[in-house]
Amino acid sequence: MQFAYTPRLAELKERAAGLTAKIMPYEEECEAQNGLTPEALAAIRDEVLASGLQAINMPVEWGGAGLTVLEQVVVQEELGKLTGALWDTVWRPANCLRAATPEQRSRYLLPGIQGRCRDAVAITEADAGSDPSGIRTTAVPDGDGYVINGEKWFVTVGDAADFLIVLANVQPSGAPTLFLVDKDTPGVSVTRTPRYTHTFVYEHPEFRFEDVRVGSGAVLGEVGQGYELTRDWFTEERLMIGARTIGAAERALRLATDWAGDRVQGGEPLINRQLIQGMLADSVVDITTNRAFTHQVAWEFTEGGDRKLLHARAATVKLAASEASNRVVDRCQQIFGGRGYMRDQPVERLWRELRVDRIWEGTSEIQRLVIANEITKRGLDGLLSFATVD
Ligand SMILES: Cc1cc2nc3c(=O)[nH]c(=O)nc-3n(C[C@H](O)[C@H](O)[C@H](O)COP(=O)(O)OP(=O)(O)OC[C@H]3O[C@@H](n4cnc5c(N)ncnc54)[C@H](O)[C@@H]3O)c2cc1C
């Protein structure tokens, strides 16, 4: 066993840290204005391209950085330190776009990889969240294409996106299918842009699709392949959430530790108080154990293996890391006292922003169900053992 960065991973980590440092100065503007100006976003885009960390999940031959899952985790951990979800300005087109036809690839994916166009994923509906089989959006075959009707909620980056990846049931059989829908297609409209707990550099609007006509070339993958394509994407995305939340927790802990060293109450620096030391120590435990496990499972993805088991392993990572990181930022906020409740304090922003990591891409309860499903169907062995290599 080797638990160390290779020179390649160390270089990537340093490069990601450098990009994170370049984006960090935009945090306060993002918080104050609930987003960034087009000029600021353009400046960040230039930094992303200069770093070579654009579309890290896409192959080099298409213009992406072509990183393995483990390498992506190393990068995402650094970017996760950013508040305002500024990590999302470092674009990664949805993995399911790898299923694009050559025509779809040149129209959507290649510009997306270059940072010239963005996708947003529209699966969730008012009555279909944890259970996407409850979606009511339909695609009715019509001539050479389809007519889509329905509503979608929580569409992250829906304001900045140029096209949407929409899950709809193709009639009459109800086959769940992904469609690539240009946002300016007649019949596509934004019904509401709600405010959320966190500040996020983009919005999560709700969309209505009213008699939206698309050609047969809008189908991503095959008709009926909708769940399969989204499941694969969710699986890797859950590791990235694990990585980002750990990075966020590390930033919060470093800030809280410095503060505890400086802040004197009752004649002693806080860091000399055992109740404070306990919070710092528990946070070190939460970060280090989850960092190691996230890297372990990311390595297993990179080595390849049984997708069903990896799905459950990724659920374990997401559940453990997001819950642990929420505990860390909560403790760090406590150490800052009243100052930890002020929005100009990065720890306060991280505390608000990490909450959603227990909800999106499958809630903590859904991750438990995925793990339990693996236990009941195939037993504990795959979940509990280390992989072996020759
Ligand atoms: C900020 C934000 C951004 C998002 N971005 C996107 C996006 O870009 N695209 C997209 O499609 N979706 C997006 N989502 C939606 C997100 O994936 C869903 O909110 C999430 O999957 C939960 O669905 P729900 O909100 O309908 O809650 P529900 O499914 O109604 O769940 C409510 C509660 O019941 C629990 N629960 C549900 N089923 C079970 C069960 N079987 N057993 C036990 N407990 C259960 C849940 O864990 C939760 O605690 C986003 C959500 C948020 C908040």
Side-chain angles (χ1 to χ4, degrees), residues 5 9 67-77 235-243 246 290-305 307 310 313-318 387:
Y5 288 126
L9 291 176
L67 302 192
T68 66
V69 173
L70 177 59
E71 289 168 346
Q72 290 178 50
V73 154
V74 170
V75 170
Q76 288 290 307
E77 191 180 296
T235 302
E236 290 189 14
E237 198 51 33
R238 285 171 182 163
L239 291 181
M240 303 309 148
I241 288 177
I246 292 160
N290 282 289
R291 169 176 290 142
F293 185 57
T294 303
H295 281 69
Q296 181 190 335
V297 177
W299 173 85
E300 290 168 10
F301 266 73
T302 300
E303 292 295 300
R307 291 300 290 188
L310 289 174
R313 303 276 284 166
T316 316
V317 167
K318 199 241 178 199

Side-chain angles (χ1 to χ4, degrees), residues 7 16 31 68 93 116 127 133 135 138 179 203 212 237 254 273-275 278 284 287 327 340 347:
E31 175 62 32
T68 66
R116 292 191 288 110
D127 295 324
S133 70
I135 65 160
T138 55
F179 288 88
E203 303 283 1
V212 175
E237 198 51 33
R254 287 187 183 280
R273 306 285 185 189
Q274 287 187 334
L275 290 175
V284 168
I287 292 170
R327 291 194 295 270
V347 170

Side-chain angles (χ1 to χ4, degrees), residues 73 77 237-250 283 285-295 297 313-329 354-355 357-358 364 367-368 371:
V73 154
E77 191 180 296
E237 198 51 33
R238 285 171 182 163
L239 291 181
M240 303 309 148
I241 288 177
R244 285 199 300 268
T245 58
I246 292 160
E250 177 179 342
S283 299
V285 171
D286 276 334
I287 292 170
T288 51
T289 50
N290 282 289
R291 169 176 290 142
F293 185 57
T294 303
H295 281 69
V297 177
R313 303 276 284 166
T316 316
V317 167
K318 199 241 178 199
L319 174 62
S322 65
E323 296 273 340
S325 302
N326 268 266
R327 291 194 295 270
V328 172
V329 293
L354 260 61
R355 186 63 182 86
D357 291 300
R358 293 161 57 195
S364 288
Q367 308 309 323
R368 289 186 176 95
I371 298 164

Side-chain angles (χ1 to χ4, degrees), residues 121-124 129-130 154-156 198 204 356 359-361 363 365-366 369:
V121 177
I123 297 172
T124 306
S130 297
F154 302 111
V155 182
T156 299
H198 60 204
H204 317 277
V356 79
I359 297 173
W360 64 10
E361 310 286 348
T363 62
E365 290 70 37
I366 295 304
L369 293 181

Side-chain angles (χ1 to χ4, degrees), residues 18-316:
L19 178 60
T20 302
K22 294 237 167 74
I23 300 175
M24 212 170 261
Y26 294 96
E27 286 183 339
E28 287 186 13
E29 179 185 338
C30 184
E31 175 62 32
Q33 297 173 12
N34 188 38
L36 292 177
T37 59
E39 295 73 36
L41 288 169
I44 291 176
R45 179 178 173 273
D46 291 345
E47 293 293 355
V48 174
L49 288 171
S51 74
L53 293 174
Q54 75 286 357
I56 56 175
N57 56 335
M58 289 292 160
V60 173
E61 60 268 30
W62 295 348
L67 302 192
T68 66
V69 173
L70 177 59
E71 289 168 346
Q72 290 178 50
V73 154
V74 170
V75 170
Q76 288 290 307
E77 191 180 296
E78 287 304 316
L79 295 176
K81 293 175 180 168
L82 292 164
T83 68
L86 287 172
W87 46 266
D88 209 14
T89 59
V90 188
W91 59 92
R92 286 175 308 126
N95 281 351
C96 57
L97 288 169
R98 287 195 203 139
T101 61
E103 198 187 28
Q104 291 170 337
R105 193 188 306 152
S106 52
R107 180 164 166 194
Y108 296 107
L109 185 53
L110 299 185
I113 288 172
Q114 292 157 7
R116 292 191 288 110
C117 111
R118 272 204 80 143
D119 61 280
V121 177
I123 297 172
T124 306
E125 299 182 5
D127 295 324
S130 297
D131 177 14
S133 70
I135 65 160
R136 292 204 194 131
T137 299
T138 55
V140 176
D142 184 64
D144 181 32
Y146 298 86
V147 176
I148 298 175
N149 277 287
E151 284 191 10
K152 293 290 175 184
W153 278 39
F154 302 111
V155 182
T156 299
V157 197
D159 55 326
D162 301 279
F163 70 100
L164 308 173
I165 304 171
V166 180
L167 182 67
N169 289 332
V170 171
Q171 302 305 311
S173 64
T177 305
L178 293 179
F179 288 88
L180 303 178
V181 181
D182 290 309
K183 222 170 68 180
D184 58 6
T185 312
V188 178
S189 60
V190 171
T191 49
R192 204 163 68 107
T193 302
R195 293 267 73 80
Y196 296 86
T197 305
H198 60 204
T199 300
F200 201 100
V201 59
Y202 305 114
E203 303 283 1
H204 317 277
E206 295 170 12
F207 281 88
R208 178 173 296 143
F209 301 84
E210 228 170 342
D211 293 331
V212 175
R213 289 183 175 275
V214 294
S216 56
V219 172
L220 181 64
E222 308 280 326
V223 169
Q225 224 190 349
Y227 293 157
E228 203 181 315
L229 289 175
T230 47
R231 193 171 44 240
D232 273 0
W233 175 60
F234 274 156
T235 302
E236 290 189 14
E237 198 51 33
R238 285 171 182 163
L239 291 181
M240 303 309 148
I241 288 177
R244 285 199 300 268
T245 58
I246 292 160
E250 177 179 342
R251 181 178 179 197
L253 181 59
R254 287 187 183 280
L255 289 168
T257 305
D258 288 349
W259 167 254
D262 291 345
R263 175 70 168 170
V264 174
Q265 282 297 284
E268 281 283 337
L270 291 179
I271 202 158
N272 292 347
R273 306 285 185 189
Q274 287 187 334
L275 290 175
I276 299 291
Q277 291 173 354
M279 287 196 268
L280 297 175
D282 285 347
S283 299
V284 168
V285 171
D286 276 334
I287 292 170
T288 51
T289 50
N290 282 289
R291 169 176 290 142
F293 185 57
T294 303
H295 281 69
Q296 181 190 335
V297 177
W299 173 85
E300 290 168 10
F301 266 73
T302 300
E303 292 295 300
D306 175 43
R307 291 300 290 188
K308 283 188 182 149
L309 177 60
L310 289 174
H311 184 57
R313 303 276 284 166
T316 316

